[in-house]
Amino acid sequence: MRVLVVEDQVELAESVARVLRREGMAVDVSHDGDDAHERISVLDYDVAVLDRDIPGVHGDDLCAEIATGGRRTRVLMLTASGTTADRVAGLSMGADDYLPKPFAYAELVARIRALGRRAHPPAPPILLHDDLRLDPAQRVATRCGMRLPLTTKELAVLEHLLAARGEVVSAEELLERVWDERADPFTTTVKATINRLRSKLGQPPVIETVPREGYRI
């Protein structure tokens, strides 16, 4: 899942980003509406965590832009005001969910995951391929009943490949969906992660390389 966090309180934004990255999400951060507007126009986010009161393009306008632009991005609106009138106003602008500050990180993560599921076609709660099993909610992968020692990125790559249900996934798509703005697009990050994942998955191999196209399970 790729998430955009739009929050002008730098410390809070970075704290949220750290928590979400630990949960296996790819996270970009914007501290003002102008930067967020540029990112939304070129990148396909699953969820935007949007502070309503930000400098530059107002959060309300960003929300309306996402809602009317035909994007699959779901919006979780944040605000320091939690009145009923504010919640109704946010939802009427196209927000999919609303969370007042201060909030518990566990609730924030749960709400983002719920919105992320709505951004895609329904997927089974457990992803399976022969003796390989992945529980995305618990972030646990097993093979032949044995838990696999996968890193956060390895789990995310495996989840994306399993969710593709046999379709080829390009390295570019994996880089965009699993990594965030901190990743160098010219590195061999994806290939190196695939190689480590193959080693940990064991035999027989389950990840196939399709020349000049990408990878599939």
Side-chain angles (χ1 to χ4, degrees):
M1 188 188 309
R2 188 155 190 174
V3 179
L4 176 63
V5 175
V6 187
E7 169 60 62
D8 62 330
Q9 297 181 39
V10 176
E11 185 175 346
L12 175 60
E14 295 303 327
S15 179
V16 168
R18 284 195 299 272
V19 169
L20 299 184
R21 285 170 183 148
R22 285 201 298 267
E23 293 293 325
M25 303 179 197
V27 185
D28 296 339
V29 177
S30 288
H31 299 304
D32 62 74
D34 296 330
D35 181 69
H37 169 75
E38 292 182 9
R39 293 176 186 274
I40 290 168
S41 66
V42 297
L43 290 171
D44 185 20
Y45 291 100
D46 298 297
V47 178
V49 180
L50 178 60
D51 183 14
R52 190 172 183 184
D53 297 311
I54 51 175
V57 180
H58 196 273
D60 292 350
D61 297 326
L62 284 173
C63 182
E65 176 187 346
I66 294 171
T68 60
R71 298 174 179 85
R72 69 178 180 180
T73 305
R74 305 298 181 179
V75 176
L76 172 58
M77 187 170 280
L78 303 178
T79 182
S81 176
T83 66
T84 300
D86 281 322
R87 290 197 296 272
V88 170
L91 294 171
S92 67
M93 290 168 200
D96 299 280
D97 201 356
Y98 196 98
L99 188 62
K101 300 176 183 177
F103 49 80
Y105 283 126
E107 181 179 4
L108 176 67
V109 170
R111 287 175 180 263
I112 290 173
R113 288 202 180 282
L115 290 177
R117 290 192 292 270
R118 290 167 56 186
H120 296 274
I126 303 297
L127 298 171
L128 301 170
H129 177 79
D130 295 335
D131 56 0
L132 179 61
R133 182 181 188 274
L134 173 63
D135 183 338
Q138 299 297 321
R139 314 302 299 161
V140 172
T142 62
R143 191 167 191 191
C144 297
M146 300 293 293
R147 182 165 181 167
L148 301 170
L150 303 185
T151 66
T152 299
K153 290 302 181 189
E154 290 162 357
L155 278 166
V157 169
L158 180 60
E159 179 180 353
H160 204 74
L161 292 174
L162 285 169
R165 302 178 185 181
E167 297 295 323
V168 176
V169 179
S170 68
E172 292 77 12
E173 181 179 346
L174 286 172
L175 189 64
E176 179 178 335
R177 306 309 304 171
V178 176
W179 281 265
D180 53 36
E181 61 189 353
R182 300 180 303 173
D184 183 348
F186 300 105
T187 67
T188 58
T189 297
V190 173
K191 183 178 180 180
T193 303
I194 289 286
N195 288 339
R196 291 195 302 270
L197 184 55
R198 280 182 170 138
S199 176
K200 293 181 180 182
L201 291 176
Q203 298 295 324
V206 295
I207 300 178
E208 175 188 0
T209 298
V210 181
R212 295 181 296 279
E213 292 188 38
Y215 308 94
R216 68 182 172 199
I217 290 181

